[in-house]
Amino acid sequence: MPRRTQFTVDAESVQGNAGATITFSCITIGERKAYLSDPDLDNIDMIRLHTLSWSGIVDNDGNELPDPKDEPDAIDALFMVEMRAINRLMWQGPDGDSAKN
């Protein structure tokens, strides 16, 4: 089996949008260590670093938000509760309950 470097999750839990997905790059042990030891590195930074693409994630007007890889500031349009949902999906990794692959 090839090494997994990315994974896609069912992201309906983020905003309630059926069919929403997010693709993340996997977090390495070194990145986790940096996250735990660097007070300037937070969950939002990790989401910016590891979100490769998403679909079905929208702004207040129902317009699809651009992929954070293309426009990192797109994450700033999310509500905190949505950021926490994305954070949970990211940290669960490819073996999490919402993983699609």
Side-chain angles (χ1 to χ4, degrees):
M1 172 188 254
R3 185 176 191 206
R4 274 192 245 181
T5 59
Q6 64 184 43
F7 61 100
T8 301
V9 299
D10 175 340
E12 183 174 348
S13 64
V14 175
Q15 295 179 322
N17 300 332
T21 62
I22 301 176
T23 300
F24 297 106
S25 61
C26 292
I27 299 170
T28 67
I29 292 170
E31 289 167 327
R32 181 181 178 273
K33 285 172 63 176
Y35 168 78
L36 294 174
S37 64
D38 184 347
D40 293 328
L41 189 61
D42 63 17
N43 290 327
I44 298 168
D45 296 321
M46 293 298 285
I47 290 170
R48 281 190 216 284
L49 290 169
H50 290 279
T51 302
L52 300 177
S53 64
W54 60 26
S55 66
I57 305 298
V58 299
D59 64 15
N60 287 342
D61 297 321
N63 301 312
E64 185 113 3
L65 287 170
D67 285 336
K69 261 307 193 212
D70 299 330
E71 292 187 37
D73 290 341
I75 289 172
D76 294 342
L78 299 172
F79 292 116
M80 289 299 295
V81 65
E82 295 167 340
M83 183 275 302
R84 287 192 302 271
I86 292 171
N87 191 53
R88 278 191 299 276
L89 293 169
M90 179 186 66
W91 284 102
Q92 286 176 0
D95 296 327
D97 292 339
S98 296
K100 296 174 69 89
N101 54 339

